Amino acid sequence: MKVKTILVSQPEPKIENSPYFDLQEKQRVKIDFRPFIHVEGVPAKEIRLQKVDLHNYSAIILTSRNAVDHFFRVAEEMRFKVPDSMKYFCQSEAVAYYLQKYVVYRKRKIYVGKRTFSELTPLIKKYKDEKFLLPSTDKLKPEVPQILNDLGVNWKQATFYKTVISDLSDLADVYYDVLVFFSPSGIDSLFQN
């Protein structure tokens, strides 16, 4: 059976040299992009209910670009001026470079892991006297709290944003040969819709 239509559960890429466009051209397939999930920020009021006071933390652990965006959004909502002495522990280089959108990139206060959270642990262990805040999603991987507890550092996790299932009711009578997913949440979204 020849594949003619593909639905990708992600937003359409903004770059022109995306492999999806090459696939469309070379294989003559129709590719539609539709995010099955999206991220919504948690209001500052709810974060206060989690007993989070940003003044109490000297280091922030950032696992994604969403974590960066929502940490600074919440800081602004709470009228918290992020001090220059704040240390940032970024899971990957991509997250560290994205952080430049909000802070001046200085090597002495931005610490970068390779790709996975466990690769960031030697850096966190080196600064175990800091008070760490982990701004994260409501669907945090269970290995992250386990690793931080094993390190014996002073840390707190707070839900700054939530992964929400998108409304796909307009796709009820549409058929595709292939569906492409990038996370278990996308599959949950398909079944709930």
Side-chain angles (χ1 to χ4, degrees):
M1 177 180 136
K2 184 161 173 27
V3 173
K4 294 179 183 163
T5 56
I6 299 173
L7 177 63
V8 178
S9 66
Q10 292 279 344
E12 186 166 351
K14 290 177 176 55
I15 55 173
E16 294 172 13
N17 60 350
S18 169
Y20 292 114
F21 301 129
D22 293 341
L23 184 68
Q24 247 176 331
E25 230 174 75
K26 289 178 184 169
Q27 302 298 323
R28 293 191 183 0
V29 294
K30 182 180 186 298
I31 300 177
D32 290 332
F33 298 90
R34 180 66 189 274
F36 279 40
I37 55 174
H38 62 278
V39 172
E40 289 181 0
V42 172
K45 184 179 178 183
E46 281 184 40
I47 292 168
R48 283 189 188 99
L49 291 173
Q50 296 176 51
K51 302 208 182 320
V52 173
D53 181 1
L54 298 179
H55 294 92
N56 295 340
Y57 301 96
S58 57
I60 307 296
I61 301 171
L62 300 165
T63 56
S64 70
R65 291 178 182 186
N66 282 326
V68 174
D69 284 338
H70 290 285
F71 169 74
F72 286 98
R73 173 191 58 81
V74 167
E76 191 175 309
E77 280 181 33
M78 291 182 163
R79 293 183 181 92
F80 172 72
K81 186 182 181 312
V82 180
D84 290 337
S85 61
M86 183 70 77
K87 291 181 174 68
Y88 303 94
F89 292 81
C90 302
Q91 183 170 320
S92 67
E93 228 173 88
V95 175
Y97 284 129
Y98 189 73
L99 186 59
Q100 289 180 6
K101 184 175 171 182
Y102 299 98
V103 298
V104 176
Y105 196 90
R106 291 193 192 119
K107 290 195 187 306
R108 69 176 178 272
K109 63 178 194 175
I110 297 176
Y111 307 93
V112 184
K114 300 226 179 343
R115 276 185 52 222
T116 65
F117 191 79
S118 58
E119 292 170 332
L120 185 60
T121 56
L123 295 168
I124 294 173
K125 197 175 191 178
K126 190 175 174 184
Y127 293 93
K128 66 184 337 171
D129 294 336
E130 302 288 337
K131 285 188 80 178
F132 292 92
L133 176 66
L134 175 66
S136 67
T137 180
D138 55 335
K139 296 188 185 309
L140 182 64
K141 291 180 184 173
E143 70 187 34
V144 174
Q146 183 64 47
I147 289 170
L148 289 170
N149 286 335
D150 291 346
L151 286 174
V153 294
N154 185 354
W155 72 283
K156 179 168 177 71
Q157 186 264 333
T159 303
F160 276 48
Y161 56 101
K162 294 181 179 178
T163 305
V164 181
I165 292 172
S166 299
D167 180 24
L168 304 173
S169 56
D170 58 316
L171 296 176
D173 297 326
V174 182
Y175 299 96
Y176 290 93
D177 297 325
V178 175
L179 299 176
V180 181
F181 295 98
F182 292 87
S183 71
S185 300
I187 295 170
D188 290 344
S189 174
L190 175 70
F191 284 116
Q192 275 199 359
N193 277 285

